[in-house]
Amino acid sequence: MPTQKKFDFYNVPIVDYLLSIGEPIEAVGNNYYQHKEHDSLKINVHRNYFVWNSRIGEANSTGGAVQYLQIMHSMTLAESLSKIEGDLSGTVLKPAATQKRSYPKVFNYKVREIPVPIEAQRYLVAERKIPNRVVRHFFSIDLISQNENNEVIFKWHKENKIVGFSKQGTKKLSNEQKEKYKTKRDYFKYVAPTTKEDTYWGFNYLVGNPKDIYFFESPIDLLSYYVIHEETLLQKGDFWLVSIDGVAIEKVMTFLKYGFEHLNLEEVLESLNVCFDNDKAGLSALSTLQSYEIANVSFNDCTPKEEDWNDVLKLSKSI
């Protein structure tokens, strides 16, 4: 009787495998790939492993195909092994019951803020062209701060509570640092882990009862759009600007669910606006959202003419 084939799960060629199952990864050099929607997730082809830089410290944030499935798709170890074996053998195995990844039970905001946020203000005003009065306003309402590492902190408020945060470096990364972190970004970015309930939350600015809701890929784009359309937004009032740190549809739906449960959206909602980047990932997410209708309201295309809304703002300042 022939011996049943055994899989060497932990040495599966990760790039070949992920491409074979349709994972959205792309080449960024001779020896590296990255995730199209999470560009801090880098794959070293030669060493056959990935690192998800923005989630370092979490379980399965580095490793091979097994760990990738665990952290990206919230699989248990058994589910991950079963899927790989099924994919490689052509046999579809019945998965075990889904078990979500672990989350902190409680989110504690432990950022050491500094009282005079000079570097954060310099970065936002000089580099990102956000007017100083707007920067001061967002600092004054405790949506933005600066930590002791001179990084801008974008706080995730839900009602009167901080439930998470993301942060943005204020000093450009050197070429050596970009190579080290395997990123094309000019500045360091990080999204802090939070509770299961608030993982799909984000930086947001709510004024009144939100008749008009706008979704952005980043806090900087949110601020940029606000600056460009400030007069119109304030004249009309009752708006909600939301950053989801990427193009995760789940985050859009989380905010809408919260709005229907706590902000009377069913009665007041007039428009939903998708203001994602003008690139493949942003346009794809827009197309997906436009296939939905929420309380008889469709998603509007609010794509910038430039790559993102901060580019639009910077271009307007240069004219």
Side-chain angles (χ1 to χ4, degrees):
M1 178 181 293
T3 302
Q4 185 178 8
K5 179 181 178 181
K6 293 182 179 295
F7 289 93
D8 187 0
F9 296 103
Y10 294 97
N11 285 309
V12 171
I14 185 170
V15 168
D16 292 342
Y17 173 68
L18 296 183
L19 289 173
S20 75
I21 63 172
E23 288 297 291
I25 61 174
E26 59 185 353
V28 290
N30 293 331
N31 195 44
Y32 295 99
Y33 276 71
Q34 71 180 22
H35 199 281
K36 293 179 180 179
E37 297 176 7
H38 307 283
D39 64 4
S40 70
L41 190 155
K42 308 297 182 184
I43 304 171
N44 186 310
V45 181
H46 179 69
R47 296 184 179 180
N48 197 36
Y49 76 94
F50 78 93
V51 177
W52 198 340
N53 290 297
S54 68
R55 294 178 65 172
I56 286 294
E58 295 184 46
N60 304 310
S61 60
T62 67
V66 173
Q67 291 78 15
Y68 177 95
L69 293 177
Q70 287 182 274
I71 193 169
M72 182 61 69
H73 297 292
S74 301
M75 291 185 178
T76 63
L77 175 59
E79 289 172 336
S80 181
L81 296 176
S82 294
K83 175 171 174 55
I84 292 173
E85 183 173 12
D87 290 333
L88 296 181
S89 67
T91 303
V92 178
L93 302 180
K94 184 178 180 181
T98 301
Q99 179 177 334
K100 300 298 182 181
R101 66 183 178 89
S102 60
Y103 299 86
K105 291 183 178 180
V106 178
F107 174 78
N108 293 312
Y109 182 73
K110 296 181 179 180
V111 175
R112 293 184 178 180
E113 300 180 1
I114 64 172
V116 184
I118 295 175
E119 284 303 311
Q121 288 182 306
R122 180 203 61 77
Y123 169 76
L124 293 171
V125 175
E127 298 292 331
R128 295 298 189 165
K129 306 304 180 185
I130 311 295
N132 196 37
R133 60 176 179 78
V134 173
V135 173
R136 290 199 307 270
H137 170 65
F138 277 83
F139 272 103
S140 71
I141 58 177
D142 198 37
L143 286 181
I144 300 177
S145 67
Q146 179 185 318
N147 68 9
E148 59 185 2
N149 293 325
N150 295 329
E151 296 164 330
V152 186
I153 305 299
F154 297 98
K155 303 177 186 180
W156 300 3
H157 278 264
K158 182 186 283 186
E159 298 175 356
N160 296 318
K161 184 179 179 182
I162 300 174
V163 298
F165 70 90
S166 55
K167 63 183 180 180
Q168 167 83 52
T170 59
K171 300 291 186 181
K172 281 192 174 182
L173 296 173
S174 66
N175 290 333
E176 291 77 12
Q177 288 172 315
K178 289 182 180 181
E179 176 63 23
K180 177 181 178 181
Y181 298 121
K182 303 298 181 293
T183 183
K184 293 180 180 179
R185 295 185 184 277
D186 288 330
Y187 296 91
F188 172 75
K189 289 188 176 182
Y190 174 78
V191 178
T194 184
T195 64
K196 180 178 180 181
E197 178 184 359
D198 295 316
T199 290
Y200 291 110
W201 200 248
F203 178 73
N204 66 98
Y205 180 41
L206 175 62
V207 175
N209 297 316
K211 297 177 181 178
D212 304 298
I213 307 179
Y214 303 81
F215 294 98
F216 302 88
E217 289 192 33
S218 74
I220 296 293
D221 287 330
L222 182 158
L223 293 173
S224 301
Y225 185 92
Y226 175 78
V227 171
I228 296 168
H229 299 93
E230 182 180 14
E231 184 176 350
T232 301
L233 287 170
L234 294 179
Q235 282 181 351
K236 189 173 182 181
D238 297 319
F239 61 86
W240 200 5
L241 308 182
V242 176
S243 166
I244 63 172
D245 289 297
V247 292
I249 305 301
E250 296 92 337
K251 283 200 172 187
V252 173
M253 297 307 172
T254 295
F255 274 92
L256 292 176
K257 181 176 183 292
Y258 178 87
F260 280 104
E261 293 176 351
H262 301 279
L263 301 174
N264 197 32
L265 284 191
E266 187 171 2
E267 298 295 330
V268 303
L269 184 63
E270 294 181 1
S271 76
L272 294 168
N273 305 279
V274 183
C275 309
F276 294 163
D277 293 357
N278 191 355
D279 59 17
K280 185 176 180 180
L283 295 174
S284 176
L286 166 66
S287 177
T288 299
L289 286 169
Q290 288 187 316
S291 67
Y292 296 98
E293 191 173 85
I294 308 296
N296 297 317
V297 177
S298 300
F299 285 89
N300 298 322
D301 182 353
C302 191
T303 305
K305 298 297 183 183
E306 305 300 322
E307 183 174 349
D308 58 40
W309 278 104
N310 188 239
D311 283 345
V312 175
L313 176 62
K314 290 189 289 189
L315 183 61
S316 71
K317 296 292 184 180
S318 66
I319 297 175

